[in-house]
CSV table of all heavy atoms in Angstrom, one decimal:
chain,number,residue,atom,x,y,z
A,1,LEU,N,26.8,48.1,74.8
A,1,LEU,CA,27.1,47.8,73.4
A,1,LEU,C,28.1,46.7,73.2
A,1,LEU,O,28.1,45.8,72.4
A,1,LEU,CB,27.5,49.1,72.7
A,1,LEU,CG,27.8,48.9,71.2
A,1,LEU,CD1,26.7,48.3,70.4
A,1,LEU,CD2,28.2,50.3,70.6
A,2,ALA,N,29.2,46.8,74.1
A,2,ALA,CA,30.3,45.9,74.0
A,2,ALA,C,29.7,44.5,74.4
A,2,ALA,O,30.1,43.5,73.7
A,2,ALA,CB,31.4,46.2,75.0
A,3,ALA,N,28.8,44.4,75.4
A,3,ALA,CA,28.3,43.1,75.7
A,3,ALA,C,27.4,42.5,74.6
A,3,ALA,O,27.4,41.3,74.3
A,3,ALA,CB,27.4,43.3,77.0
A,4,LEU,N,26.6,43.4,74.0
A,4,LEU,CA,25.8,43.0,72.9
A,4,LEU,C,26.6,42.4,71.7
A,4,LEU,O,26.3,41.4,71.1
A,4,LEU,CB,24.9,44.1,72.4
A,4,LEU,CG,24.0,43.8,71.2
A,4,LEU,CD1,23.0,42.7,71.5
A,4,LEU,CD2,23.3,45.1,70.7
A,5,LEU,N,27.7,43.2,71.4
A,5,LEU,CA,28.6,42.7,70.3
A,5,LEU,C,29.3,41.4,70.7
A,5,LEU,O,29.5,40.5,69.8
A,5,LEU,CB,29.7,43.7,70.0
A,5,LEU,CG,29.2,45.0,69.4
A,5,LEU,CD1,30.3,46.1,69.3
A,5,LEU,CD2,28.6,44.7,68.0
A,6,SER,N,29.6,41.2,72.0
A,6,SER,CA,30.2,39.9,72.4
A,6,SER,C,29.2,38.8,72.2
A,6,SER,O,29.6,37.7,71.7
A,6,SER,CB,30.6,40.0,73.9
A,6,SER,OG,31.5,41.1,74.1
A,7,ALA,N,27.9,39.0,72.6
A,7,ALA,CA,26.9,38.0,72.4
A,7,ALA,C,26.7,37.7,70.9
A,7,ALA,O,26.5,36.5,70.6
A,7,ALA,CB,25.6,38.5,73.0
A,8,THR,N,26.7,38.7,70.1
A,8,THR,CA,26.6,38.5,68.6
A,8,THR,C,27.8,37.7,68.1
A,8,THR,O,27.6,36.8,67.3
A,8,THR,CB,26.6,39.8,67.9
A,8,THR,OG1,25.5,40.7,68.4
A,8,THR,CG2,26.3,39.6,66.4
A,9,GLY,N,29.0,38.0,68.7
A,9,GLY,CA,30.2,37.2,68.2
A,9,GLY,C,30.0,35.7,68.6
A,9,GLY,O,30.4,34.8,67.8
A,10,VAL,N,29.4,35.4,69.8
A,10,VAL,CA,29.2,34.0,70.1
A,10,VAL,C,28.1,33.3,69.2
A,10,VAL,O,28.2,32.2,68.8
A,10,VAL,CB,28.7,33.9,71.6
A,10,VAL,CG1,28.2,32.5,71.9
A,10,VAL,CG2,29.8,34.4,72.5
A,11,ALA,N,27.1,34.1,68.8
A,11,ALA,CA,26.1,33.6,67.9
A,11,ALA,C,26.7,33.3,66.5
A,11,ALA,O,26.4,32.3,65.9
A,11,ALA,CB,24.9,34.7,67.7
A,12,ILE,N,27.6,34.1,66.1
A,12,ILE,CA,28.3,33.9,64.8
A,12,ILE,C,29.1,32.6,64.9
A,12,ILE,O,29.2,31.8,63.9
A,12,ILE,CB,29.2,35.1,64.5
A,12,ILE,CG1,28.3,36.3,64.1
A,12,ILE,CG2,30.1,34.7,63.2
A,12,ILE,CD1,29.1,37.6,63.9
A,13,ALA,N,29.7,32.4,66.1
A,13,ALA,CA,30.5,31.2,66.2
A,13,ALA,C,29.7,29.9,66.1
A,13,ALA,O,30.1,28.9,65.6
A,13,ALA,CB,31.2,31.2,67.6
A,14,ILE,N,28.5,30.0,66.7
A,14,ILE,CA,27.5,28.9,66.6
A,14,ILE,C,27.1,28.6,65.2
A,14,ILE,O,27.1,27.4,64.7
A,14,ILE,CB,26.3,29.2,67.5
A,14,ILE,CG1,26.7,29.2,69.0
A,14,ILE,CG2,25.2,28.1,67.3
A,14,ILE,CD1,25.6,29.7,69.9
A,15,VAL,N,26.9,29.7,64.4
A,15,VAL,CA,26.5,29.5,63.0
A,15,VAL,C,27.7,28.9,62.3
A,15,VAL,O,27.5,28.0,61.4
A,15,VAL,CB,26.2,30.9,62.4
A,15,VAL,CG1,26.1,30.8,60.9
A,15,VAL,CG2,24.9,31.4,62.9
A,16,GLN,N,28.9,29.4,62.5
A,16,GLN,CA,30.1,28.8,61.8
A,16,GLN,C,30.3,27.4,62.1
A,16,GLN,O,30.7,26.5,61.3
A,16,GLN,CB,31.3,29.6,62.2
A,16,GLN,CG,31.4,31.0,61.7
A,16,GLN,CD,32.6,31.8,62.1
A,16,GLN,OE1,33.3,31.4,63.1
A,16,GLN,NE2,32.8,32.9,61.5
A,17,LEU,N,29.9,27.0,63.4
A,17,LEU,CA,30.1,25.6,63.8
A,17,LEU,C,29.0,24.7,63.2
A,17,LEU,O,29.2,23.5,62.9
A,17,LEU,CB,30.0,25.5,65.3
A,17,LEU,CG,30.5,24.2,66.0
A,17,LEU,CD1,31.9,23.9,65.6
A,17,LEU,CD2,30.3,24.4,67.5
A,18,ALA,N,27.8,25.3,63.0
A,18,ALA,CA,26.7,24.5,62.5
A,18,ALA,C,26.9,24.2,61.1
A,18,ALA,O,26.4,23.1,60.6
A,18,ALA,CB,25.4,25.3,62.7
A,19,GLU,N,27.6,25.0,60.3
A,19,GLU,CA,27.7,24.8,58.9
A,19,GLU,C,28.4,23.5,58.6
A,19,GLU,O,28.0,22.7,57.6
A,19,GLU,CB,28.4,26.0,58.2
A,19,GLU,CG,27.5,27.2,58.2
A,19,GLU,CD,28.1,28.4,57.5
A,19,GLU,OE1,29.4,28.5,57.5
A,19,GLU,OE2,27.4,29.3,57.1
A,20,PRO,N,29.6,23.2,59.2
A,20,PRO,CA,30.2,21.9,58.8
A,20,PRO,C,29.3,20.7,59.2
A,20,PRO,O,29.3,19.7,58.4
A,20,PRO,CB,31.5,21.8,59.8
A,20,PRO,CG,31.8,23.3,60.0
A,20,PRO,CD,30.4,23.9,60.1
A,21,VAL,N,28.6,20.7,60.3
A,21,VAL,CA,27.7,19.7,60.6
A,21,VAL,C,26.6,19.5,59.6
A,21,VAL,O,26.3,18.4,59.1
A,21,VAL,CB,27.0,19.9,62.0
A,21,VAL,CG1,26.0,18.8,62.3
A,21,VAL,CG2,28.0,20.0,63.1
A,22,LEU,N,26.0,20.6,59.2
A,22,LEU,CA,25.0,20.6,58.1
A,22,LEU,C,25.5,20.1,56.8
A,22,LEU,O,24.9,19.3,56.1
A,22,LEU,CB,24.3,21.9,57.9
A,22,LEU,CG,23.5,22.5,59.1
A,22,LEU,CD1,23.1,23.9,58.9
A,22,LEU,CD2,22.2,21.6,59.3
A,23,PHE,N,26.7,20.5,56.5
A,23,PHE,CA,27.4,20.1,55.2
A,23,PHE,C,27.6,18.6,55.2
A,23,PHE,O,27.3,17.9,54.2
A,23,PHE,CB,28.7,20.8,55.1
A,23,PHE,CG,29.4,20.6,53.8
A,23,PHE,CD1,28.7,20.5,52.6
A,23,PHE,CD2,30.8,20.4,53.8
A,23,PHE,CE1,29.4,20.3,51.4
A,23,PHE,CE2,31.4,20.1,52.6
A,23,PHE,CZ,30.8,20.1,51.4
A,24,GLY,N,28.1,18.1,56.3
A,24,GLY,CA,28.4,16.6,56.4
A,24,GLY,C,27.0,15.8,56.3
A,24,GLY,O,27.0,14.8,55.6
């Protein structure tokens, strides 16, 4: 479960990073 949550955290980071690129 900890590993799954860690992977989900990385996915969220990718989403957060994609938003500024899409915004620009």
Side-chain angles (χ1 to χ4, degrees):
L1 177 57
L4 178 60
L5 291 173
S6 300
T8 305
V10 174
I12 293 171
I14 294 173
V15 170
Q16 292 176 346
L17 192 59
E19 289 180 339
V21 176
L22 292 170
F23 185 42

